[in-house]
Amino acid sequence: MKRVLTLLAVALCFASGPRSLAQALSCNLPQQELSPGDKVTISCDNLSKTSNFQLNIKGVNDQTSSKGTVLVPTVDGNNLVLRVPDDMVVGQYFVSVVSGTNQNDSALVRGPLNVMGAPVIDAIYALTNYPAPKGFDFEIAGKNFKSSKEGNYIEIVDLRTLEKCETQPPPTDKTPCGNVEWKNSRRIVVTGFYPRHYYGPVKIKVHIGNSVSQEASVAFAPLTQQGVALVAALVFFAIAYLLFVLVRRGLTPDLVEGIRASPFTSLFLDRETNSYSLSKFQVVAWTAVTVYSYVYLFLCRTLIQGNFTFPDVSQNLPQLFFVSAGTTVAATAITTNWGSKGAGSTQPSFADFISTGGLVAGDRFQFFTWTLVGCIGYVYLVVRMNPETPNISLPDIPQNFLYLMGVSSAGYLGGKLVRKPGPVIKTLSVARVTIPPGTVLQPIPGPAPDQNDDD
C-alpha cells in the first residue's frame, strides 16, 4: 500500500509540471488613448522580478500568423513599463506578455492598446475674442487630445509655452498666460488668457507627447464692435472738424440782412440765389456716408482682426459717385446756360431741398427721398456686418438701385430744364436823381419775391 501511494505522488508531480504564464500572470492595460512616445504602465499580479519578459504587440485587425512587434519592457514592482514606439501606426493592438526563455509561453494582457495619431485642431471658438473682466476665454476643438495635462502643453507660436497666470492681470514679461483645462480627447478650454501688449491674431499649436498639431489662428481684439463704432465716429468728426475749420477760413464776409453764412450752410448754399442746393446735398451726404463706413471697416480690420491692410472698395461704388458728382456738374451746367431759378426768400431753408416756388416739386422730392434712403441703408448695412468677416470690405450697391438713383437724378435735371429761369439781379447801378418839389414817394405794393428753383 505504501508503495502505491509513492508511485501516485510521483505521477501527479509529472502530470502537473511548471505553470504557464497564462496560468501564473494576470495583467491589465489601463483604458487610455496613447500617442507615439508615451509611456504606459501595465499592472500585473504575481510578477516575478527575476523573470525575463517581452511584450508582443499585434494589431487587432491583423489576422496573419506574424508575431507582431516585440518590445522589452521595464519591470517596476508589479508593473511592466512600456514606451510606445515613435513609428507606431494609429490603431488598436493586442498585447501579450511573452517569456524570454520560451517564446511559446505567453499571457494575454486584458484591454487593447489604443494608439492615436498626432493632435489635430479643427476649430477655435470664438474665432475672435473680445475683452472680458479677467482675460479672454476660448475653446480648442479637435481630436487626439488628452484628458490630462501631464506631458502635454499649448504653444503660442514664436512666443512661449502657455503657462498659468500668477497674477491678475499679469506683468507683460509673463504673458501670454492662461488657465488650460484638458477636458477630453476632443476639447480643450482656455480661460483667463492674456496676450502680449499687442493684440490681433495669435497662432497656437497643441503638443501631445512627442506629437504636435498644425497651427491654428485666433484673434484677440482690444475693443468690442460698439467700441470700434464709437472710435470710427470720433475719427469721422475729427475729419469733419478739420474741414469745418478750412471752410470757415475760406468764407467771404458777405452779409445777407446782417447775417453771415455759417460753414455748415456754405456746404449746401447756392450763392447766386441764397438757397440750399439739392445736388450739393446729395454729394455731401454720400461722401460723408462712405467716409464713415470706410473708417469703420478699416478699424474693424485693424483693431478686431489684427489685419493691417486697407479694406477693399466695392466695385460699383465708383458708379454711385459718378451719378452723384455727375448730377452736380450737370445741374451747374444747366444753371450756367439756362439760368438759375431766381432769388427766393432772404434766408435759406431746408424746404429748399424739395420745393420750388413755394410748392413741393415731385422730381426734387423723389431725388431727396431716395438719397436719404440710400445713405441711411448703406450705413446700417455697414454697422450690421460681422466685424470678424475675413477681408471685410464696403458692401456692394445693387445695380438696380444705381439705376433708380440715375432715374431720380435724370428727373431732377429734367425738372430744371423745363422750368423757366427766374429773374436774377446781376448788376445794380445807382444814379443821383433830382426829385421835383412836391413829389410824394410811395412804396411799390406787392409781396416779397418767392423762391422758384434750386440747384
Side-chain angles (χ1 to χ4, degrees):
M1 183 66 181
K2 185 176 181 180
R3 184 179 178 182
V4 173
L5 292 175
T6 302
L7 292 174
L8 181 61
V10 172
L12 289 174
C13 289
F14 278 103
S16 61
R19 292 195 302 169
S20 65
L21 284 178
Q23 296 172 330
L25 286 180
S26 176
C27 298
N28 297 298
L29 192 65
Q31 294 294 324
Q32 61 180 353
E33 293 183 329
L34 302 168
S35 300
D38 287 351
K39 289 184 177 181
V40 56
T41 301
I42 303 174
S43 60
C44 299
D45 297 332
N46 304 321
L47 186 64
S48 175
K49 297 181 179 180
T50 60
S51 300
N52 184 16
F53 297 108
Q54 294 179 345
L55 294 177
N56 183 25
I57 302 177
K58 189 174 183 180
V60 172
N61 297 324
D62 188 0
Q63 303 299 325
T64 65
S65 58
S66 62
K67 294 182 179 180
T69 303
V70 177
L71 302 174
V72 178
T74 302
V75 179
D76 183 11
N78 287 327
N79 299 321
L80 296 175
V81 181
L82 168 69
R83 182 181 181 275
V84 180
D86 294 335
D87 57 352
M88 181 70 73
V89 181
V90 178
Q92 286 188 332
Y93 296 85
F94 288 133
V95 180
S96 300
V97 181
V98 182
S99 172
T101 58
N102 183 5
Q103 295 294 318
N104 294 322
D105 190 9
S106 63
L108 183 65
V109 178
R110 296 187 184 92
L113 175 66
N114 297 317
V115 178
M116 60 184 186
V120 177
I121 299 177
D122 292 332
I124 299 180
Y125 305 102
L127 184 61
T128 300
N129 294 265
Y130 297 98
K134 295 183 178 180
F136 297 89
D137 300 336
F138 62 94
E139 294 188 12
I140 304 175
K143 56 186 177 182
N144 301 335
F145 299 154
K146 294 289 187 68
S147 57
S148 172
K149 68 177 182 179
E150 184 177 356
N152 311 314
Y153 61 93
I154 294 177
E155 175 192 356
I156 308 300
V157 179
D158 298 330
L159 290 178
R160 56 178 285 179
T161 300
L162 183 59
E163 299 178 356
K164 186 177 181 179
C165 297
E166 299 177 356
T167 59
Q168 297 287 341
T172 303
D173 59 343
K174 298 296 183 180
T175 57
C177 63
N179 302 317
V180 181
E181 299 180 48
W182 302 83
K183 293 294 185 180
N184 49 50
S185 63
R186 303 192 64 87
R187 182 166 168 254
I188 303 174
V189 177
V190 180
T191 57
F193 178 82
Y194 286 88
R196 280 283 170 93
H197 59 279
Y198 61 88
Y199 292 82
V202 173
K203 294 181 179 179
I204 292 176
K205 289 183 180 179
V206 176
H207 291 254
I208 303 295
N210 293 334
S211 302
V212 60
S213 70
Q214 84 283 13
E215 292 183 356
S217 182
V218 57
F220 300 97
L223 292 177
T224 62
Q225 183 178 5
Q226 294 77 11
V228 170
L230 179 60
V231 173
L234 294 177
V235 173
F236 174 79
F237 284 116
I239 297 174
Y241 178 76
L242 176 62
L243 296 176
F244 175 86
V245 173
L246 295 176
V247 171
R248 184 177 60 182
R249 290 183 177 180
L251 287 178
T252 57
D254 297 339
L255 299 177
V256 178
E257 287 196 345
I259 300 177
R260 179 177 298 172
S262 66
F264 176 78
T265 301
S266 64
L267 291 176
F268 313 112
L269 190 64
D270 178 7
R271 299 293 265 174
E272 189 172 2
T273 60
N274 196 42
S275 61
Y276 288 141
S277 170
L278 179 56
S279 60
K280 291 183 178 180
F281 166 78
Q282 55 93 27
V283 168
V284 173
W286 277 113
T287 301
V289 164
T290 52
V291 167
Y292 173 80
S293 300
Y294 195 84
V295 170
Y296 171 78
L297 295 182
F298 178 80
L299 294 178
C300 285
R301 275 204 174 196
T302 55
L303 296 181
I304 293 182
Q305 299 182 13
N307 181 4
F308 291 88
T309 58
F310 282 99
D312 291 332
V313 177
S314 58
Q315 294 183 354
N316 53 9
L317 185 61
Q319 300 179 28
L320 175 64
F321 272 45
F322 177 79
V323 172
S324 178
T327 302
T328 303
V329 172
T332 304
I334 291 173
T335 300
T336 303
N337 295 280
W338 188 249
S340 72
K341 62 186 177 182
S345 56
T346 55
Q347 293 299 327
S349 169
F350 287 114
D352 298 342
F353 292 136
I354 61 174
S355 64
T356 179
L359 298 175
V360 175
D363 55 300
R364 303 175 65 81
F365 180 83
Q366 182 190 58
F367 189 38
F368 179 78
T369 302
W370 277 111
T371 300
L372 290 181
V373 170
C375 291
I376 295 174
Y378 197 85
V379 173
Y380 178 79
L381 289 177
V382 169
V383 298
R384 294 298 297 173
M385 293 175 69
N386 184 358
E388 305 168 16
T389 304
N391 298 322
I392 190 171
S393 60
L394 291 174
D396 288 332
I397 300 173
Q399 199 67 31
N400 288 337
F401 183 83
L402 291 176
Y403 293 153
L404 181 61
M405 289 293 296
V407 170
S408 297
S409 299
Y412 163 70
L413 296 175
K416 290 180 67 64
L417 285 172
V418 299
R419 282 190 292 269
K420 294 182 179 181
V424 176
I425 300 176
K426 294 185 176 181
T427 304
L428 181 62
S429 299
V430 179
R432 184 180 297 274
V433 179
T434 302
I435 301 175
T439 302
V440 179
L441 298 179
Q442 295 182 352
I444 300 175
D450 287 334
Q451 189 172 331
N452 295 324
D453 197 6
D454 194 1
D455 287 340

